[in-house]
Amino acid sequence: CENIEFCFKNFIRINSLRKKFLSRFDENSQNIIGSILFSYRLDSSNESFKIINNLQLMRFMSASGIYLSLYLKVFRKVLSFKMKDKICDLISIVILLPYFILTFPRFAVMKIFFLSILRYINKYHFKEKIEDITLLFISGIIFLIFDHYLAYQDSFILGYMIPIVIYSTRNHPFRKNKVLDYLFKTFVIYIFLIPFSLSYYYSVGIFTPLYQILFSPIFMFIALLSLMCFFKIPLYGFVNFLDSLLINMLKVFMKINPTINAPSFNEYALFFFYTLLLVFVYYKI
């Protein structure tokens, strides 16, 4: 293309707004927060990318659906002290709108936004007659009707399969103990993600489940504070400090990071692997 002519420019300069927001953080924090909130690719030359990538914790950079769900739960909890549940739920949907616009078309955010609307309708119009897992299926089918190529995207596969895997393990023997329940679900998700790890890294980190358990609360806390900053709560300095602390902690664990190298699965190996996992979850849990 030799020439580009603009017929219409969006009067809301979304990219400029994102950059203006991220400019309030230091370089490492910009890299991490930009990836978490806006799906920016981490700069491969950046120190934070190298450390997080080597420890195979990159999925925390794309778990915006989890972070956003956590933010909404905290937001509703705060509002519930002064307002009725119906008003709290409606406000939480409305407050998602600017973030939805600024991150469009990021699938994880679209999914949370759409699911929040479905849950609101189910709660106040259908009196919660529809199970949450059914709402998840309904939203997935609707997305696929509009764009069936989503079925090939990792964001769609992981965004729907991980909740389904967690739901499938709801009756496991350790569910009454919160610590064991969390450890068991983390292990099952780790097994589920092995083919993805081989596809991205051609290796599986032996201690990756342990690192996920140790660092997922820190990542979630940083993501939660970053979202608060996005909604004009000035915690920029504290977020910079936490990001720096996180990177320094990860540097220590990089020295203890044994891996098993292996090629990625072909379609037959994938089918066999997930069939075994399904049998295990269905008959043993």
Side-chain angles (χ1 to χ4, degrees):
C1 180
E2 296 178 357
N3 181 49
I4 296 174
E5 183 181 347
F6 289 101
C7 298
F8 171 77
K9 287 187 180 182
N10 187 352
F11 64 93
I12 302 175
R13 309 308 298 159
I14 292 176
N15 225 23
S16 299
L17 290 172
R18 291 174 184 167
K19 288 178 180 178
K20 185 178 178 181
F21 167 73
L22 291 173
S23 67
R24 296 175 178 268
F25 301 95
D26 61 33
E27 186 180 348
N28 266 334
S29 295
Q30 285 181 33
N31 215 27
I32 293 171
I33 295 165
S35 178
I36 291 173
L37 296 188
F38 305 127
S39 200
Y40 286 169
R41 287 185 178 274
L42 283 171
D43 181 4
S44 58
S45 64
N46 189 275
E47 181 186 33
S48 58
F49 169 85
K50 293 174 182 177
I51 294 170
I52 293 168
N53 190 60
N54 285 340
L55 291 173
Q56 299 188 8
L57 297 175
M58 288 299 293
R59 63 180 61 96
F60 286 115
M61 299 291 96
S62 58
S64 63
I66 297 171
Y67 303 141
L68 200 53
S69 298
L70 178 65
Y71 175 81
L72 290 177
K73 285 180 182 178
V74 172
F75 185 72
R76 285 193 196 104
K77 189 69 175 176
V78 172
L79 289 180
S80 66
F81 290 114
K82 294 287 184 180
M83 301 177 182
K84 293 181 179 179
D85 286 350
K86 189 173 183 179
I87 302 297
C88 294
D89 290 338
L90 187 60
I91 291 175
S92 67
I93 293 173
V94 172
I95 204 167
L96 263 182
L97 194 57
Y99 185 59
F100 172 77
I101 293 169
L102 278 177
T103 56
F104 186 83
R106 191 171 187 185
F107 177 73
V109 181
M110 289 195 295
K111 176 194 160 197
I112 294 296
F113 185 72
F114 188 55
L115 263 177
S116 297
I117 294 172
L118 287 181
R119 284 168 179 156
Y120 181 87
I121 294 170
N122 182 44
K123 187 174 181 179
Y124 297 107
H125 294 280
F126 295 105
K127 308 301 178 186
E128 295 187 320
K129 292 179 181 177
I130 306 173
E131 280 190 79
D132 200 63
I133 193 69
T134 305
L135 291 178
L136 189 74
F137 275 107
I138 291 170
S139 69
I141 290 168
I142 291 171
F143 277 120
L144 288 175
I145 289 171
F146 282 98
D147 183 5
H148 62 274
Y149 289 107
L150 282 172
Y152 298 100
Q153 294 185 16
D154 287 350
S155 58
F156 182 89
I157 295 168
L158 296 177
Y160 280 96
M161 286 308 300
I162 288 178
I164 290 169
V165 169
I166 293 172
Y167 179 81
S168 301
T169 61
R170 68 195 183 282
N171 294 322
H172 65 81
F174 315 111
R175 63 187 180 279
K176 294 180 181 178
N177 185 305
K178 288 186 178 181
V179 175
L180 291 178
D181 176 63
Y182 177 69
L183 293 175
F184 181 80
K185 287 178 179 176
T186 299
F187 175 74
V188 172
I189 292 171
Y190 170 73
I191 297 298
F192 172 80
L193 290 172
I194 283 176
F196 289 90
S197 296
L198 292 176
S199 175
Y200 295 137
Y201 307 109
Y202 297 100
S203 65
V204 176
I206 295 173
F207 293 152
T208 297
L210 175 61
Y211 297 153
Q212 287 176 349
I213 291 166
L214 290 174
F215 291 106
S216 60
I218 302 173
F219 272 100
M220 285 186 178
F221 188 52
I222 290 172
L224 185 62
L225 294 178
S226 303
L227 276 165
M228 288 177 158
C229 291
F230 178 82
F231 289 109
K232 304 299 181 183
I233 299 174
L235 299 168
Y236 309 106
F238 187 46
V239 173
N240 282 333
F241 168 74
L242 285 178
D243 284 339
S244 177
L245 182 64
L246 173 67
I247 295 302
N248 286 327
M249 290 170 66
L250 290 174
K251 282 180 183 177
V252 175
F253 285 91
M254 257 187 68
K255 298 174 182 177
I256 317 165
N257 186 36
T259 58
I260 298 173
N261 297 323
S264 58
F265 287 2
N266 60 31
E267 57 266 33
Y268 301 108
L270 273 175
F271 178 79
F272 181 70
F273 179 86
Y274 283 119
T275 300
L276 284 180
L277 182 62
L278 178 65
V279 169
F280 170 75
V281 169
Y282 187 80
Y283 289 104
K284 299 296 183 182
I285 306 302

